[in-house]
Amino acid sequence: NGSFGIQCVYEEMDRPLAVALVREGHVVAVPKGYHPSCGSPAGPISYAYVMVSVAPDDRNFMDLTIQPEYGTSFE
């Protein structure tokens, strides 16, 4: 249907690790940093968010960092 999304991956906004046009079936790896996405007006955007670790208890999956420019909550 022509819909697509834009996926950004960065730690510093002026030094992106990736900026990609994504469509259904695409996969974007996010090794670290912030990763906002935006959908086109042609259709919705949805994604599956998967986190992995090498060993049990290697990572706290709810230890999230919000980009400082956007504050500490979305209330």
Side-chain angles (χ1 to χ4, degrees), residues 8-12 17 30-36 49 59 65:
C8 300
V9 180
Y10 57 89
E11 289 185 276
E12 299 173 38
L17 300 170
V30 181
K32 57 186 171 181
Y34 305 109
H35 40 86
Y49 187 77
R59 140 176 248 168
T65 302

Side-chain angles (χ1 to χ4, degrees), residues 24-40:
E24 183 177 347
H26 287 177
V27 173
V28 176
V30 181
K32 57 186 171 181
Y34 305 109
H35 40 86
S37 59
C38 178
S40 71

Side-chain angles (χ1 to χ4, degrees), residues 1-5 38-45:
N1 70 5
S3 71
F4 63 91
C38 178
S40 71
I45 186 170

Side-chain angles (χ1 to χ4, degrees), residues 51-63:
M51 293 180 73
V52 298
S53 64
V54 176
D57 300 323
D58 187 34
R59 140 176 248 168
N60 178 353
F61 292 103
M62 292 310 294
D63 184 16

